[in-house]
């Protein structure tokens, strides 16, 4: 499994499509999760469709993606899910009056998705949004949504052989450069051991004074 | 061209200025795109001005930056544009009732900017905002803005020799660590080949069960 | 000092806790900054408490964290502050009618925090939010908050031996891969020198024309 994360217009759909095509050629299932609720959404869906090769098999599945894939008799070698953002949003809206049910729904969807892909020995490319790096949304639904999607992204990243973060169309393999807790801890310990305590404290205090004098919150 | 991306107060203006100064010394044109619409903005502009060396040539250009640079008889070797965020915002506000015109305006601005810099054989440093990693904005204008800016960032990143992402004042060269689609695909294929299918499936299923039992969306 | 930054549900608290535990075992002070203002917050706090080992010493300190740590007679070797986001929010709310006072408050808190940790020769792990990568918040308080937190994150990152950015539960050591201004400048100069000016300009112009023709803002 490969997870492709990114903000809006970061090139994540494009990278996910190109990667899936490179991996599977035309032996590819495209799973679309978008439901057209208004004109703006309809236009966005239409534009995404025009970007995809006409030869791809498409499954329009706003909910129950894992079960639908598991039920296929012959799944393609590569499955592209674009995007998890809308799948989680659809689950939340279905249970909008019961957050615990929405949580359970997202958990079940992730588990069935992972199981279905393993059942078919398929390679899954999941495109998803990074939506948690702004200020707290004013609506309760907005806060619930970013909690659920953040959890789902983490859960899939644990199963992914690679998680990419898209930045202005560039794909960074985060899995490859990520540190484990043990690596992070040994790096701290190593630094502490390198310098004698007195010198380190003195140097750091000097830097503190210099920088807190030079810099205020709004400069 | 170098693109410096970052969130609010991520140190992107500071890094862009320091980089431009290191590259061009005082042979530098500073292009300011901010229009002072209210007191809050006026204060922000004033503080940014105080941060810049007084010796720099400044061009205040809320729209038509590419054409203005192209029209110069002697452009400096280094041009610093701070920031693209406001340039795109100004274009959108000019065409606020016609999104297609705003799209065309952003596309034309990016093309003329790239052409002008090449015409003068100048090095351009562009500071821009990363604004697409929060939840969907409630206003239609907000959604249009992040679509346009995300596209503009991608377009400039394609022309940039380096795109930096600022994180708490630290500059990560994303171009340097980015993967191509081919690299991403061969990394997936390589992983699949390394482990026998049965073992991989078994190990992953075990991990799935363990992690979905241990973790819920809100734990 | 280690700074752990991330969006909502990015795994930052988990990574901060695991790192602090790996470094300090049970010789650890946990500083909680959350104030329970409503049921949603109370539930979130309770869930975080259940995630922490019962053996940890906990200091509940919504304001004045640095002074409280400095006043301890025997501070543990490792201090975990979770999270800076709420500490900055508490300072802003205390001075909600006076932004300059809030700025001064955040500046003083950062300075006293750094001094207290150096006084005890302790290792501090700070968990904080990345909240500046969305569109401009509609409320003035929201805009002030992300300015203050962005500044505080930068200030602590300057003192940290490592700053991690969490992406879907994966921890990227940003300090390790960050470029200095000098490195960024020499990389630009090196690129320019490698190719003859005519060839580079020609190749780039060709690419420009191709890509601006192929791509529009919404494709």
């Amino acid at each position: 499994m490969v997870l492709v994360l990114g903000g809006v217009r970061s090139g994540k759909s494009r990278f996910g499509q190109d990667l899936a095509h490179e991996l599977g050629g035309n032996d590819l299932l495209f799973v679309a999760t978008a439901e057209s609720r208004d004109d703006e959404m309809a236009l966005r869906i239409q534009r995404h469709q025009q970007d995809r090769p006409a030869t791809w098999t498409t499954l329009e599945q706003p909910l129950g993606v894992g079960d639908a894939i598991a039920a296929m008799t012959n799944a393609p070698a590569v499955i592209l899910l674009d995007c998890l953002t809308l799948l989680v949003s659809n689950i939340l809206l279905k249970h909008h009056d019961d957050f615990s049910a929405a949580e359970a729904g997202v958990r079940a969807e992730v588990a069935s998705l992972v199981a279905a892909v393993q059942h078919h020995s398929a390679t899954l490319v999941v495109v998803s949004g990074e939506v948690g790096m702004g200020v707290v949304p004013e609506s309760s639904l907005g806060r619930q949504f970013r909690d659920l999607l953040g959890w789902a992204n983490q859960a899939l990243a644990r199963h992914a052989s690679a998680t990419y973060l898209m930045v202005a169309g560039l794909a960074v393999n985060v899995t490859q450069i990520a540190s484990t807790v043990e690596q992070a801890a040994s790096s701290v310990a190593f630094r502490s051991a390198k310098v004698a305590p007195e010198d380190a404290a003195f140097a750091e205090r000097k830097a503190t004074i210099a920088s807190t004098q030079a810099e205020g919150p709004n400069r």
Side-chain angles (χ1 to χ4, degrees), chain A:
Chain A
M1 186 191 301
V2 177
L3 179 61
V4 182
L5 279 178
V8 162
R9 308 297 310 158
S10 62
K12 58 187 190 299
S13 286
R14 169 66 55 94
F15 187 80
Q17 284 177 26
D18 289 350
L19 176 57
H21 189 258
E22 183 79 19
L23 287 168
N26 287 324
D27 184 16
L28 195 148
L29 174 69
F30 180 85
V31 184
T33 55
E35 280 185 304
S36 163
R37 285 210 182 76
D38 51 38
D39 288 355
E40 192 180 321
M41 188 57 111
L43 185 66
R44 201 177 271 263
I45 292 172
Q46 195 193 326
R47 281 178 162 168
H48 273 293
Q49 281 171 343
Q50 290 164 356
D51 277 353
R52 293 196 296 265
T55 52
W56 291 4
T57 311
T58 297
L59 175 67
E60 302 211 357
Q61 196 74 27
L63 288 167
V65 172
D67 290 347
I69 293 173
M72 297 179 81
T73 44
N74 276 309
V78 175
I79 301 171
L80 171 61
L81 170 60
D82 188 355
C83 59
L84 184 67
T85 320
L86 279 162
L87 181 55
V88 166
S89 172
N90 293 338
I91 294 171
L92 178 59
L93 292 176
K94 186 184 159 197
H95 302 285
H96 67 97
D97 49 354
D98 183 352
F99 185 62
S100 296
E103 282 188 338
V106 170
R107 195 192 299 206
E109 184 63 58
V110 166
S112 76
L113 198 54
V114 170
V117 168
Q118 288 172 348
H119 170 70
H120 289 297
S121 300
T123 297
L124 176 68
V125 178
V126 179
V127 174
S128 184
E130 173 54 69
V131 302
M133 296 192 178
V135 296
V136 179
E138 297 200 1
S139 77
S140 162
L141 202 66
R143 294 194 295 276
Q144 291 177 348
F145 172 62
R146 32 175 233 171
D147 275 358
L148 287 178
L149 184 58
W151 179 84
N153 285 341
Q154 281 191 54
L156 288 178
R158 272 195 294 272
H159 293 292
S161 62
T163 293
Y164 289 88
L165 178 69
M166 302 301 300
V167 178
L170 301 164
V172 177
N173 187 334
V174 175
T175 309
Q176 203 170 44
I177 58 176
S179 302
T180 63
V181 167
E182 291 73 21
Q183 288 168 338
S186 69
S187 147
V188 171
F190 181 67
R191 264 189 74 94
S192 306
K194 272 200 303 192
V195 196
E198 301 81 2
D199 299 347
F202 178 73
E204 232 186 301
R205 198 166 306 131
K206 236 175 39 179
T208 310
I209 293 162
S211 69
T212 46
Q213 280 174 344
E215 304 279 330
N218 230 347
R219 292 301 300 277

